[in-house]
């Protein structure tokens, strides 16, 4: 009986003590007497066409779907006795009367007219004046839920993709917390030992056995299992497998999350994962090229292919139109603009990407100077003049306009001939998880070596200067990008860092991961230890994983 | 306060601020009310207690932050004896050796095709122990995981007395070293000079069995003269032969270690080879792998009967050049060999037909 599968990672019920004067919280065995916590006095109400009446009340006075209903509610829902429109306004269920709760105007009405039930106009709760408490009647709550859903749809509210109840089209259902059935409640009451994931909890962290030089795999697994969206997807059982055989990598991934959240302290042995990856990505197998970055790409590719079973993945056969969880999280769009130097016509292509590979200073291709005609942005507070190379420097270099030279002329459709051109890369669409790959391993014809240049990377990163849209603004003459503090679309937070120690021939991979907002841990195969933010930021960095800070509604 | 339309333009700052403050406090109050309702419902429906947990559980899962231990409070490096079952061949493998095993098992390593080749060769010859034993040795030589082993193997060739009937020393397999009990030179292989158990008395048998493997070969009816950790036979077999020869009371082996503590020699490979004297192609290592043996098996072009998926990694970064790749090793002391071991390997000689030493057995 694994609660974590349906319960999500943390219960939604608050832990603080709440002092509520007018709500009676009686810890009696109400549940065992009647189910749910209803009351007998609703029976007087449940006659004739009560369902429809109740629906109308919810539609007009509680859940306002459209702008008109909202206006009407605002204007007409006022206390018939004192004119207040807040003060916990209630509507009588038996007649058209609005009365505020705070001044007990609705209570007076109930006493005078013997109308025992009223509804709170803000949250739709039903109050019984005989019981003197809010009651929860199953049938009435059902109607309330349905009307609420309709109202949300009318409002045009779409829920973000990370919401477990969202379907492929993005039209959401309001997220409802899990509610146990009577039987489940009984079981839970009899079994009080429960693991609660607090900030000081090890659950979610687990070591991984090295299967023989497989730290390249372990480090990527740690990064993936600590990707919040991916975690939420798997812990809410969103993968519906359509593969006949036992060889679905997504299922194995799901199993991996179960292992990480199982509470086991001994390290997990990811032998099945290795087997699956090697059978599905033959080019990886064998011990010649065990690079963590390659493994990441191969693993994402296999996962993406195996996601066909999920609702989101139905269009998986068309790689440009897939909506599987891998694409939703990891796929970004890279825009490449090739500008003809003669006619200045621009040819644009957009390619999907899962990661950005960045050249480093110290490689055989020169790093400095970055392209002239600066973008002027010191958004992330760094500049190369002050010392260490920064991640922002690398990104600026990545997105600089590059002259392609006379030996690489492009056929220009405007000029109808081969012309010299410049090429520039910018981000058209940023993925939710951005992975930066620092190209530390040089494999040129002459030499093979590791570039150990320290590159400083920030905890928080703003990608705005590297966006295609920013480039357009620059081209339109706005050279100084004013920082829009309210635009949160491009803000990213670091959550995992993969490091490589050693030489090109023999080395070892470890990962720093972030858990519970600001706690960092070092994952070294089977050994997980606590790490400081300083440890993380001082490390060399090979793969840097950033997560979008604010997830917007689509 | 009746709800009415109101223009904001005529108001001064203080009024606007007061309005904003009103709206703000209304919002906060509404939010608090919502929270109250949630709690009230939870209590009334009876699930409010779910938020509680017991102290013991909380303590159990607390993060530990002490030197020398991990976050679970465990000492490092205690996980050497983990095992797993290979999904391909269903054998139990030491976890830290699983990757090299899997590489061979799936026919993906550089050497797998050579091993497969040899199997074909041996199955075409007489099916006697000598051939498979030679394969066995070749497997040892094929080993990438311990670079030093080949050097040692060559060295030992001259040391051994090829006609010695016994190998009584049991040697611990250390990382990077070849065990004394395996002779690297196929031509000098002699473990089956063997002993006929029928000629020995119980005392002799008993003393023999304290130092030797003793498993009786089905073909030659002789006892194996290798050490008690002989990789060709299982502990079960050794136990069985002791019961057979000495009676049920003698079923325990003095050395109960079933897992050979070795990072370089895959003991189970030997057993499998032994059980496959009749090559019937039922293993996953298909002989068709050998078709690609000329090419380096880096390309992993093994023509397996399974459906092969075309790898199309269309989603590469276009940030210039192929991604760099470094070989990430494990934390063991083995260095990962990037193309070096090929040069240092002995050239493989063709397997000869029945060497003359075996004529003595009959």
């Amino acid at each position: 009986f694994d609660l974590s599968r349906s319960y999500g990672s943390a219960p939604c019920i608050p832990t603080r003590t709440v002092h509520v004067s007018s709500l009676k919280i009686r810890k009696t065995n109400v549940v065992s007497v009647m189910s749910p916590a209803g009351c007998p006095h609703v029976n007087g109400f449940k006659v004739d066409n009560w369902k429809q009446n109740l629906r109308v009340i919810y539609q007009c006075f509680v859940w306002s779907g459209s702008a008109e209903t909202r206006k009407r509610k605002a204007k007409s829902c006022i206390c018939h006795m004192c004119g207040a429109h807040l003060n916990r306004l209630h509507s009588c269920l038996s007649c058209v009367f609005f009365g505020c709760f705070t001044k007990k105007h609705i209570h007076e009405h109930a006493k005078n007219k013997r109308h025992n039930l009223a509804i709170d106009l803000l949250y739709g709760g039903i109050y019984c004046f005989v019981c003197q408490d809010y009651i929860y009647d199953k049938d009435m709550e059902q109607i309330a839920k349905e009307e609420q859903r309709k109202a949300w749809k009318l409002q045009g509210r779409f829920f973000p993709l990370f919401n477990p109840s969202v379907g492929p089209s993005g039209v959401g259902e309001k997220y409802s917390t899990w509610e146990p059935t009577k039987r489940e409640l009984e079981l839970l009451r009899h079994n009080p030992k429960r693991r609660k994931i607090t900030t000081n909890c090890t659950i979610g962290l687990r070591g991984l056995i090295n299967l023989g030089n497989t730290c390249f795999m372990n480090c990527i697994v740690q990064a993936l299992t600590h990707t919040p969206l991916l975690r939420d997807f798997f812990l809410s059982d969103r993968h519906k497998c359509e593969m006949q055989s036992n060889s679905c990598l997504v299922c194995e991934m799901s199993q991996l999350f179960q292992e990480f959240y199982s509470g086991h302290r001994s390290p997990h042995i990811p032998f099945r994962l290795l087997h699956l990856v090697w059978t599905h990505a033959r080019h990886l197998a064998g011990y010649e090229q065990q690079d963590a970055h390659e493994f990441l790409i191969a693993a994402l590719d296999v996962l993406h292919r195996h996601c066909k079973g999920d609702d989101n993945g139905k269009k998986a056969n068309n790689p440009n139109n897939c909506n599987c969880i891998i694409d939703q999280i990891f796929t970004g769009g890279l825009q490449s603009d090739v500008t003809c130097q003669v006619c200045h016509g621009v040819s644009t292509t957009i390619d999907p990407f899962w990661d950005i590979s960045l050249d480093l200073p110290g490689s055989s291709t020169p790093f400095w100077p970055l392209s002239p005609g600066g973008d002027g942005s010191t958004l992330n507070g760094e500049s190369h003049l002050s010392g260490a190379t920064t991640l922002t420097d690398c990104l600026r270099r990545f997105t600089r306009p590059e002259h392609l030279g006379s030996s690489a002329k492009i056929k220009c459709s405007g000029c109808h001939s081969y012309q010299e051109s410049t090429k520039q890369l910018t981000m058209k669409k940023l993925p939710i998880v951005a992975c930066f790959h620092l190209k530390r391993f040089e494999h040129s014809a002459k030499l093979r070596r590791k570039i150990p240049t320290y590159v400083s990377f920030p905890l928080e990163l703003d990608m705005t200067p590297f966006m295609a849209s920013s480039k357009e603004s620059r081209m339109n003459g706005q050279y100084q990008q004013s920082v829009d503090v309210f635009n949160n679309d491009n803000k990213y937070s670091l959550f995992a860092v993969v490091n490589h120690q050693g030489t090109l021939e023999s080395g070892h991979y470890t990962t720093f991961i972030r858990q519970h907002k600001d706690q960092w841990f070092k994952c070294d195969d089977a050994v997980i230890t606590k790490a400081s933010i300083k440890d993380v930021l001082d490390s060399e960095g090979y793969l840097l994983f950033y997560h979008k800070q604010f997830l917007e509604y689509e | 306060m009746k709800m009415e339309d109101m223009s904001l333009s005529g108001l001064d700052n203080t009024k606007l601020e007061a309005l904003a403050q009103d709206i703000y406090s209304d919002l906060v109050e509404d939010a608090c009310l919502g929270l109250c309702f949630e709690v009230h419902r939870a209590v009334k429906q009876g699930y409010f207690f779910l938020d509680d947990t017991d102290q013991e559980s909380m303590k159990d899962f607390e993060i530990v932050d002490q030197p020398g231990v991990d976050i679970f409070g465990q000492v490092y490096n205690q996980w050497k004896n983990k095992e797993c079952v290979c999904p391909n061949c269903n054998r139990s493998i030491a976890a830290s050796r699983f990757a090299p095993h899997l590489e061979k098992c799936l026919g993906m390593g550089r050497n797998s095709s050579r091993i497969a080749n040899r199997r074909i060769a041996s199955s075409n010859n007489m099916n006697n122990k000598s051939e498979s034993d030679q394969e066995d040795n070749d497997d040892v030589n094929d080993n990438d995981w311990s670079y030093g082993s080949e050097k040692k193997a060559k060295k030992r060739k001259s040391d051994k007395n090829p006609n010695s009937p016994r190998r009584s020393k049991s040697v611990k397999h250390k990382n990077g070293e070849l065990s004394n009990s395996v002779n690297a030179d196929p031509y000098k292989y002699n473990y089956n000079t063997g002993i006929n158990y029928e000629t020995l008395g119980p005392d002799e048998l008993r003393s023999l069995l304290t130092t030797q493997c003793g498993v009786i070969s089905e073909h030659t009816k002789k006892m194996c003269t290798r050490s008690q950790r002989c990789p060709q036979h299982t502990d079960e077999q050794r136990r069985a032969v002791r019961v057979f020869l000495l009676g049920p009371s003698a079923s325990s082996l003095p050395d109960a270690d079933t897992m050979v503590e070795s990072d370089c020699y895959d003991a189970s490979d030997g057993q499998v080879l032994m059980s496959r004297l009749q090559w019937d192609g039922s293993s996953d290592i298909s002989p068709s792998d050998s078709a690609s043996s000329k090419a380096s098996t880096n390309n992993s072009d093994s023509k397996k009967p399974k459906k092969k998926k075309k790898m199309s990694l269309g989603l590469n970064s276009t940030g210039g050049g192929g991604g760099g790749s470094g070989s990430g090793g494990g934390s063991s002391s083995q260095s990962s060999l990037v193309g070096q071991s090929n040069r240092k390997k002995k050239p493989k000689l063709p397997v000869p037909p029945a060497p003359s030493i075996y004529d003595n057995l009959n």
Side-chain angles (χ1 to χ4, degrees):
Chain A
F1 184 55
D2 189 351
L3 264 185
S4 67
R5 291 182 79 92
S6 44
Y7 210 28
S9 61
C12 293
I13 302 158
T15 53
R16 300 181 284 292
T17 335
V18 177
H19 299 287
V20 183
S21 52
S22 56
L23 294 176
K24 285 207 185 148
I25 302 181
R26 290 169 290 175
K27 288 203 170 197
T28 57
N29 253 344
V30 176
V31 172
S32 54
V33 171
M34 65 183 92
S35 122
C39 81
H41 310 108
V42 298
N43 296 330
F45 173 76
K46 286 184 177 180
V47 292
D48 302 328
N49 202 14
W50 71 273
K51 280 195 181 174
Q52 190 50 34
N53 293 341
L54 192 60
R55 280 188 199 279
V56 169
I57 293 175
Y58 272 110
Q59 281 167 21
C60 300
F61 304 126
V62 184
W63 315 125
S64 350
S66 58
E68 291 113 55
T69 14
R70 259 203 306 281
K71 248 193 204 152
R72 185 176 60 205
K73 177 181 174 178
K75 287 194 168 162
S76 58
C77 294
I78 53 171
C79 177
H80 284 192
M81 291 179 67
C82 67
H85 63 274
L86 293 170
N87 289 348
R88 283 174 66 192
L89 200 63
H90 280 62
S91 165
C92 173
L93 276 190
S94 310
C95 71
V96 181
F97 181 90
F98 299 119
C100 61
F101 198 98
T102 329
K103 302 223 171 95
K104 303 253 193 267
H105 293 154
I106 189 76
H107 299 67
E108 266 187 63
H109 171 86
K111 205 169 87 175
N112 296 343
K113 295 287 178 87
R114 296 191 193 231
H115 291 169
N116 294 330
L117 300 170
I119 183 169
D120 168 61
L121 294 185
L122 197 51
Y123 290 101
I126 311 275
Y127 189 87
C128 172
F129 288 96
V130 182
C131 299
Q132 290 186 53
D133 196 7
Y134 285 92
I135 54 102
Y136 303 99
D137 178 85
K138 196 163 143 205
D139 299 325
M140 293 166 95
E141 284 207 298
Q142 177 65 27
I143 290 171
K145 266 207 192 90
E146 285 167 14
E147 291 308 315
Q148 188 178 43
R149 224 169 264 154
K150 285 189 211 164
W152 282 102
K153 281 203 178 142
L154 277 176
Q155 278 178 9
R157 291 245 217 159
F158 297 91
F159 284 85
L161 51 89
F162 64 93
N163 184 323
S165 45
V166 166
S169 56
V171 175
E173 299 172 0
K174 182 176 185 293
Y175 173 69
S176 46
T177 56
W178 166 77
E179 263 184 55
T181 62
K182 249 188 84 182
R183 172 84 183 121
E184 284 169 342
L185 270 181
E186 229 180 277
L187 283 167
L188 287 165
R189 213 173 276 121
H190 287 128
N191 295 283
K193 274 175 90 74
R194 267 189 286 289
R195 300 176 208 144
K196 186 169 166 182
I197 301 174
T198 58
T199 47
N200 199 26
C201 185
T202 57
I203 295 181
L205 296 163
R206 197 158 172 202
L208 292 165
I209 294 279
N210 186 310
L211 304 172
N213 286 350
T214 60
C215 58
F216 68 91
M217 174 177 81
N218 289 349
C219 70
I220 297 298
V221 170
Q222 294 289 0
L224 291 177
T225 51
H226 293 96
T227 301
L229 286 196
L230 210 55
R231 176 202 65 204
D232 290 351
F233 177 84
F234 282 108
L235 286 181
S236 42
D237 257 347
R238 296 278 292 157
H239 172 56
K240 311 278 181 280
C241 195
E242 273 180 22
M243 279 183 80
Q244 306 293 5
S245 61
N246 266 355
S247 62
C248 174
L249 192 68
V250 190
C251 286
E252 184 57 32
M253 203 67 212
S254 186
Q255 189 55 35
L256 206 60
F257 277 94
Q258 291 298 312
E259 293 283 348
F260 269 68
Y261 281 85
S262 62
H264 290 320
R265 293 186 198 98
S266 62
H268 173 62
I269 311 176
F271 67 97
R272 263 192 326 265
L273 184 71
L274 184 71
H275 175 251
L276 281 177
V277 174
W278 277 3
T279 51
H280 290 299
R282 285 286 168 145
H283 71 294
L284 264 196
Y287 271 59
E288 301 308 308
Q289 303 168 47
Q290 297 311 344
D291 173 44
H293 173 246
E294 272 201 26
F295 182 84
L296 170 69
I297 300 300
L300 288 179
D301 187 58
V302 179
L303 286 170
H304 156 76
R305 281 189 277 135
H306 288 191
C307 271
K308 284 197 194 107
D310 308 330
D311 294 339
N312 294 333
K314 280 220 167 80
K315 294 171 189 163
N317 287 323
N318 179 352
N320 292 330
N321 206 11
C322 176
N323 204 23
C324 68
I325 189 70
I326 300 296
D327 275 331
Q328 284 181 39
I329 297 178
F330 294 98
T331 303
L334 189 65
Q335 180 166 318
S336 170
D337 295 315
V338 177
T339 310
C340 171
Q341 289 301 88
V342 173
C343 69
H344 299 289
V346 184
S347 155
T348 302
T349 50
I350 299 175
D351 291 312
F353 70 88
W354 276 337
D355 68 314
I356 298 288
S357 288
L358 300 167
D359 289 314
L360 299 181
S363 71
S364 18
T365 46
F367 189 88
W368 305 110
L370 300 181
S371 155
D375 48 25
S377 171
T378 51
L379 191 60
N380 295 308
E382 303 130 305
S383 114
H384 75 273
L385 297 169
S386 61
T389 317
T390 66
L391 179 66
T392 314
D393 291 332
C394 296
L395 283 168
R396 268 191 269 151
R397 182 173 186 281
F398 184 76
T399 53
R400 79 198 187 291
E402 204 184 335
H403 291 279
L404 291 181
S406 49
S407 53
K409 286 188 180 167
I410 306 286
K411 176 98 186 268
C412 173
S413 52
C415 303
H416 302 290
S417 58
Y418 284 89
Q419 304 293 351
E420 285 193 29
S421 53
T422 57
K423 175 175 138 176
Q424 188 174 16
L425 297 171
T426 48
M427 314 283 175
K428 176 69 179 170
K429 177 198 164 222
L430 288 170
I432 294 184
V433 170
C435 172
F436 298 111
H437 167 227
L438 303 181
K439 291 162 71 175
R440 291 195 177 278
F441 299 106
E442 181 144 8
H443 286 265
S444 61
K446 312 166 221 166
L447 37 77
R448 305 176 59 199
R449 63 189 173 115
K450 181 179 173 187
I451 302 163
T453 314
Y454 174 68
V455 174
S456 88
F457 46 89
L459 265 185
E460 322 267 302
L461 177 67
D462 191 325
M463 290 292 289
T464 312
F466 314 112
M467 302 294 294
S469 48
S470 304
K471 178 195 165 196
E472 275 147 32
S473 322
R474 280 198 296 278
M475 282 169 61
N476 293 339
Q478 302 160 248
Y479 271 100
Q480 191 59 34
Q481 280 276 258
S482 57
V483 177
D484 183 359
V485 290
F486 295 112
N487 179 7
N488 291 320
D489 280 352
N490 305 325
K491 297 208 168 80
Y492 283 79
S493 298
L494 185 69
F495 74 93
V497 178
V498 171
N499 283 304
H500 178 271
Q501 295 138 261
T503 64
L504 199 111
E505 276 79 31
S506 90
H508 181 51
Y509 286 105
T510 55
T511 309
F512 285 110
I513 51 102
R514 184 184 197 169
Q515 180 94 326
H516 303 307
K517 179 76 174 125
D518 278 322
Q519 286 191 54
W520 286 86
F521 296 90
K522 182 174 185 184
C523 304
D524 184 350
D525 286 334
V527 179
I528 314 288
T529 48
K530 204 152 192 311
S532 67
I533 292 180
K534 186 177 189 301
D535 291 336
V536 178
L537 296 179
D538 284 349
S539 67
E540 202 177 64
Y542 175 54
L543 296 174
L544 308 172
F545 291 84
Y546 285 84
H547 198 288
K548 228 181 215 191
Q549 275 183 23
F550 301 96
L551 293 164
E552 70 278 3
Y553 292 95
E554 298 224 327
Chain B
M1 285 147 285
K2 231 186 150 186
M3 182 72 120
E4 58 196 30
D5 286 316
M6 190 171 149
S7 166
L8 290 175
S9 52
L11 300 171
D12 62 22
N13 267 348
T14 35
K15 286 243 171 70
L16 283 172
E17 279 233 14
L19 266 177
Q21 188 61 34
D22 270 349
I23 295 173
Y24 176 72
S25 49
D26 284 345
L27 286 170
V28 171
E29 212 175 289
D30 285 350
C32 290
L33 186 66
L35 187 64
C36 294
F37 274 120
E38 272 183 35
V39 175
H40 179 266
R41 185 167 188 277
V43 172
K44 200 138 188 196
Q45 299 278 44
Y47 58 82
F48 188 65
F49 74 93
L50 288 177
D51 201 41
D52 298 336
T53 184
D54 56 308
Q55 278 293 68
E56 223 181 278
S57 295
M58 296 303 283
K59 278 244 156 51
D60 278 345
F61 295 104
E62 249 175 25
I63 291 172
V64 175
D65 189 10
Q66 308 277 348
V69 291
D70 62 15
I71 53 165
F72 306 104
Q74 298 162 141
V75 183
Y76 309 157
N77 293 329
Q78 54 172 290
W79 313 110
K80 302 259 155 117
N81 295 327
K82 290 278 183 181
E83 280 184 32
C84 54
V85 176
C86 175
N88 206 37
C89 63
N90 283 317
R91 271 185 286 154
S92 179
I93 312 288
S96 58
R97 298 279 305 149
F98 178 71
H101 160 81
L102 187 66
E103 187 190 16
K104 286 195 208 129
C105 194
L106 290 176
M108 288 194 263
R110 271 173 297 135
N111 308 306
S112 304
S113 55
R114 251 183 297 141
I115 295 170
N117 256 336
R118 202 144 300 105
R119 282 218 187 85
I120 301 168
S122 75
S123 69
N124 291 336
N125 292 319
M126 274 188 281
N127 284 324
N128 56 26
K129 231 179 183 182
S130 59
E131 313 298 343
S132 27
D133 286 337
Q134 282 165 23
E135 280 176 39
D136 205 348
N137 292 328
D138 280 333
D139 257 334
V140 170
N141 289 336
D142 284 347
N143 203 312
D144 280 346
W145 303 106
S146 163
Y147 184 46
S149 68
E150 288 138 42
K151 289 186 188 160
K152 299 242 165 92
K154 282 185 219 152
K155 194 178 166 225
R156 294 234 170 79
K157 190 166 67 170
S158 47
D159 284 349
K160 291 182 184 149
N161 178 354
N163 293 319
S164 159
R166 266 173 219 210
R167 286 268 168 251
S168 56
K169 295 183 190 144
S170 68
V171 177
K172 200 158 184 187
H173 292 257
K174 281 191 277 189
N175 184 5
E177 285 179 6
L178 204 54
S179 113
N180 286 335
S181 63
V182 179
N183 188 339
D185 188 338
Y187 299 107
K188 300 260 165 71
Y189 194 78
N190 64 353
Y191 291 111
N192 287 314
T193 48
I195 292 162
N196 190 337
Y197 64 92
E198 284 156 346
T199 62
L200 300 172
D203 287 321
E204 288 170 82
L205 278 175
R206 200 170 288 121
S207 76
L208 206 83
L209 287 172
T210 56
T211 53
Q212 290 181 28
C213 169
V215 172
I216 299 167
S217 156
E218 284 172 37
H219 304 272
T220 64
K221 298 289 188 236
K222 306 282 183 180
M223 292 166 66
C224 174
T225 54
R226 278 171 153 170
S227 80
Q228 297 216 329
R229 296 246 199 112
C230 143
Q232 279 192 356
H233 304 111
T234 63
D235 277 0
E236 273 311 306
Q237 286 173 304
R238 282 188 272 275
R239 241 170 249 131
V241 81
R242 276 154 182 75
V243 170
F244 172 64
L245 290 174
L246 303 174
S249 55
S251 60
S252 59
L253 287 169
D255 188 356
D257 237 4
T258 51
M259 280 315 300
V260 173
E261 194 67 47
S262 161
D263 283 317
C264 66
Y265 181 66
D266 193 348
S268 43
D269 270 356
Q271 292 176 30
V272 170
L273 289 167
M274 279 309 300
S275 65
R276 292 212 169 108
L277 293 176
Q278 301 287 340
W279 175 253
D280 59 2
S282 59
S283 140
D284 282 336
I285 305 176
S286 155
S288 64
D289 286 351
S290 62
S292 59
S293 64
K294 298 248 171 60
S296 158
T297 52
N298 287 350
N299 297 331
S300 307
D301 238 343
S302 50
K303 291 166 191 122
K304 296 199 113 197
K306 292 182 205 160
K307 177 177 165 196
K308 191 167 179 246
K309 290 194 179 180
K310 181 103 177 93
M311 271 304 306
S312 57
L313 294 181
L315 295 167
N316 290 321
S317 150
T318 56
S325 70
S327 46
S331 47
S332 68
S333 57
Q334 304 151 4
S335 58
S336 70
L337 309 168
V338 184
Q340 293 174 23
S341 53
N342 266 335
R343 278 175 251 137
K344 303 254 170 124
K345 284 224 186 300
K346 258 183 356 184
K348 292 297 160 191
L349 301 164
V351 173
S356 57
I357 52 172
Y358 293 98
D359 293 341
N360 295 339
L361 296 178
N362 302 317

